[in-house]
Amino acid sequence: GRSILDMSYSRHFLDFQGSSIPSSMKKLVVTKLSQNFREAVTLRQDSPVPLPGDGDLLVRNRFVGINASDINYSAGRYDASVKPPFDIGFEGVGDVVALGLSASADYTVGQAVAYVKAGSFAEYTVVPAKQAVPLPSVKPEFLTLMVSGATAYISLKELGELSEGKKVLVTAAAGGTGQFAVQLAKKAKCHVIGTCSSNEKGGFLKTIGCDRTINYKTENVESVLRKDYPEGVDVVYESVGGKMFDLALNSLATKGRLIVIGFIAGYQNPTGLPPIKAELLPAKLLKKSASVRGFFLNHYFSEYKMALKHLLEMHERGDLVCEVDFGDMSPEGKFIGLESVFRAVDYMYMGKNIGKIVVELPHSVNSKL
């Protein structure tokens, strides 16, 4: 289809502020498969700004989200058939600056949108209108819901079978997705236990309703669970892996359910998997009629729109804390600009963040024509 803006006249077509959209932009590209993000990824300074097709939006990214999966993706662990170079970054929030003709049925230039799609670590991303989520404004809080919030919401609803009085253990509870698992389990009237790595994080967890926080740097998680929860826990929301997985498995109650969200502890291993003591798994599950269930958001797109709608409503009503960490406390300060994505990924893997790590892309204001 012919786009609304006839691109043939000029490399520079107009955006809604009457300033030109540049013909080139910065973006991050995976140029080599490696579990070392800095080795895998290159910042390209002058990639062509992509043009939206008939059903597409061109989004100028204002905030992009950092995910544990960024490293798995740049290491080639998700899809061995994809060969570098390829784009990276899974989610963004920004303004529509240009769009195709059929996309203009539902969207206008200047509209705030969020999306989940590979290629968000760029100044501009083309997003199919069908995949975009219209927002009331460009706020980083909305970004926390797209992947991290939706993961907690759908996995607990579909796999958690939460009901009043159940004991729910959330590992990495003060992280991007853990914060939502804690709050949603509380809304289901469960008793929530959260593990974290600092007293500051424990304090944050208390403010979002966590009943018992365990700082694993200063407390022995296993003995705390054995002493305070002798019957075990009913549901574990597990995103750490390795020793934490083993410990969570051992602390399951009869008919307990362990939901595998991720295994951030293993990112430095060639496979991305931290070692676990899995040979006893069948016996342990049998003995407790327990289960281990994996959750990958891509398999639940049928639930996605509904989940997001509900999360957005909760946030708008003030019922959901969406904690954003811009890296203000990181050694080199706030994460601003695509070049700071590297620092932001390091910060996450050092376990420093409280809430969802978000990188702000400054609005480069182009000169008026």
Side-chain angles (χ1 to χ4, degrees), residues 166-234:
K166 295 275 190 232
K167 295 178 184 66
V168 178
L169 171 66
V170 180
T171 63
T177 190
Q179 63 173 331
F180 294 109
V182 168
Q183 293 178 79
L184 294 168
K186 282 308 292 175
K187 286 183 195 313
K189 299 187 163 61
C190 295
H191 176 92
V192 183
I193 308 135
T195 71
C196 63
S197 59
S198 72
N199 291 336
E200 192 193 356
K201 290 184 182 191
F204 165 68
L205 289 173
K206 290 258 183 340
T207 69
I208 59 171
C210 195
D211 297 287
R212 174 71 162 91
T213 61
I214 307 173
N215 177 349
Y216 64 80
K217 295 271 171 84
T218 59
E219 294 176 272
N220 181 309
V221 181
E222 201 167 5
S223 48
V224 169
L225 290 173
R226 200 178 301 125
K227 183 170 137 304
D228 293 356
Y229 304 95
E231 300 289 295
V233 295
D234 302 297

Side-chain angles (χ1 to χ4, degrees), residues 295-308:
F295 179 85
F296 188 45
L297 186 59
N298 291 15
H299 300 147
Y300 287 86
F301 275 148
S302 56
E303 308 289 315
Y304 185 78
K305 276 280 191 314
M306 192 57 226
L308 202 58

Side-chain angles (χ1 to χ4, degrees), residues 87-366:
D87 295 348
I88 189 166
F90 290 120
E91 50 181 348
V93 165
D95 315 282
V96 175
V97 291
L99 71 177
L101 191 54
S102 46
S104 68
D106 299 306
Y107 287 92
T108 55
V109 163
Q111 189 159 8
V113 293
Y115 63 88
V116 176
K117 176 187 180 275
S120 70
F121 292 166
E123 290 179 292
Y124 296 86
T125 304
V126 167
V127 180
K130 284 192 197 54
Q131 288 178 31
V133 177
L135 297 174
S137 61
V138 175
K139 275 191 0 194
E141 284 74 19
F142 293 127
L143 195 55
T144 66
L145 302 174
M146 297 300 294
V147 170
S148 304
T151 295
Y153 184 99
I154 300 170
S155 63
L156 289 174
K157 180 171 169 280
E158 297 293 313
L159 309 178
E161 296 161 45
L162 301 183
S163 58
E164 186 166 354
K166 295 275 190 232
K167 295 178 184 66
V168 178
L169 171 66
V170 180
T171 63
T177 190
Q179 63 173 331
F180 294 109
V182 168
Q183 293 178 79
L184 294 168
K186 282 308 292 175
K187 286 183 195 313
K189 299 187 163 61
C190 295
H191 176 92
V192 183
I193 308 135
T195 71
C196 63
S197 59
S198 72
N199 291 336
E200 192 193 356
K201 290 184 182 191
F204 165 68
L205 289 173
K206 290 258 183 340
T207 69
I208 59 171
C210 195
D211 297 287
R212 174 71 162 91
T213 61
I214 307 173
N215 177 349
Y216 64 80
K217 295 271 171 84
T218 59
E219 294 176 272
N220 181 309
V221 181
E222 201 167 5
S223 48
V224 169
L225 290 173
R226 200 178 301 125
K227 183 170 137 304
D228 293 356
Y229 304 95
E231 300 289 295
V233 295
D234 302 297
V235 180
V236 183
Y237 186 88
E238 214 298 276
S239 57
V240 176
K243 292 188 177 69
M244 191 63 89
F245 173 90
D246 288 327
L247 199 148
L249 182 67
N250 292 339
S251 64
L252 282 177
T254 302
K255 297 186 185 170
R257 296 173 291 289
L258 192 162
I259 306 173
V260 178
I261 299 298
F263 16 81
I264 197 165
Y267 76 104
Q268 285 174 319
N269 299 32
T271 57
L273 297 164
I276 57 168
K277 299 189 176 76
E279 62 274 13
L280 299 171
L281 190 64
K284 285 178 177 175
L285 295 179
L286 174 68
K287 195 171 75 185
K288 292 176 173 176
S289 295
S291 65
V292 173
R293 302 190 69 176
F295 179 85
F296 188 45
L297 186 59
N298 291 15
H299 300 147
Y300 287 86
F301 275 148
S302 56
E303 308 289 315
Y304 185 78
K305 276 280 191 314
M306 192 57 226
L308 202 58
K309 183 172 175 287
H310 198 174
L311 288 164
L312 284 164
E313 284 166 2
M314 283 160 71
H315 175 62
E316 291 290 283
R317 283 202 308 268
D319 287 347
L320 197 63
V321 173
C322 300
E323 189 70 19
V324 171
D325 191 331
F326 277 121
D328 295 291
M329 306 314 261
S330 70
E332 293 168 62
K334 196 174 169 177
F335 303 135
I336 296 185
L338 285 171
E339 46 289 338
S340 68
V341 166
F342 298 97
R343 285 199 297 126
V345 167
D346 288 343
Y347 184 72
M348 172 176 54
Y349 279 98
M350 289 187 300
K352 297 285 190 237
N353 55 300
I354 297 184
K356 170 88 186 179
I357 301 179
V358 173
V359 173
E360 181 174 355
L361 303 189
H363 234 127
S364 55
V365 179
N366 299 306

